[in-house]
Amino acid sequence: MSNSKYPKQDDKTSNVNRIREIVQNTERNLMEAEIGKEFTDGIQREIINEQNERRKQSIEELKEEIKEEIGKGKKGKA
């Protein structure tokens, strides 16, 4: 049960930091998969390619989300 009468403050900085960590982890997973792909063939290689395409798309979306969060923070300070 919450004792607060006020809504929780939206901390844009922690949101941005959390998203940046996710981006870094996803980029690391992408690189590791690319390295591992050298040791695979056929279907497994295609699966890795598809996963990496999704990872690349996620990274771009997360970077856009970071920009939006930063923009929201600037609007709140003005």
Side-chain angles (χ1 to χ4, degrees), residues 4-61:
S4 178
K5 295 179 183 178
Y6 305 101
K8 185 176 179 181
Q9 184 178 3
D10 191 11
D11 186 357
K12 303 293 182 216
T13 316
S14 76
N15 287 346
V16 169
N17 290 336
R18 180 183 53 81
I19 297 168
R20 283 185 178 144
E21 284 181 33
I22 294 169
V23 169
Q24 289 172 349
N25 290 338
T26 305
E27 289 172 336
R28 184 175 52 249
N29 290 339
L30 191 147
M31 287 190 310
E32 289 174 359
E34 285 295 320
I35 293 168
K37 191 168 67 171
E38 295 177 26
F39 306 102
T40 64
D41 61 354
I43 294 173
Q44 189 64 32
R45 185 174 291 212
E46 186 59 33
I47 290 169
I48 292 171
N49 285 335
E50 290 171 5
Q51 287 174 332
N52 280 350
E53 285 305 311
R54 288 191 299 272
R55 286 180 176 122
K56 289 174 186 177
Q57 182 179 358
S58 293
I59 290 168
E60 291 305 313
E61 291 170 0

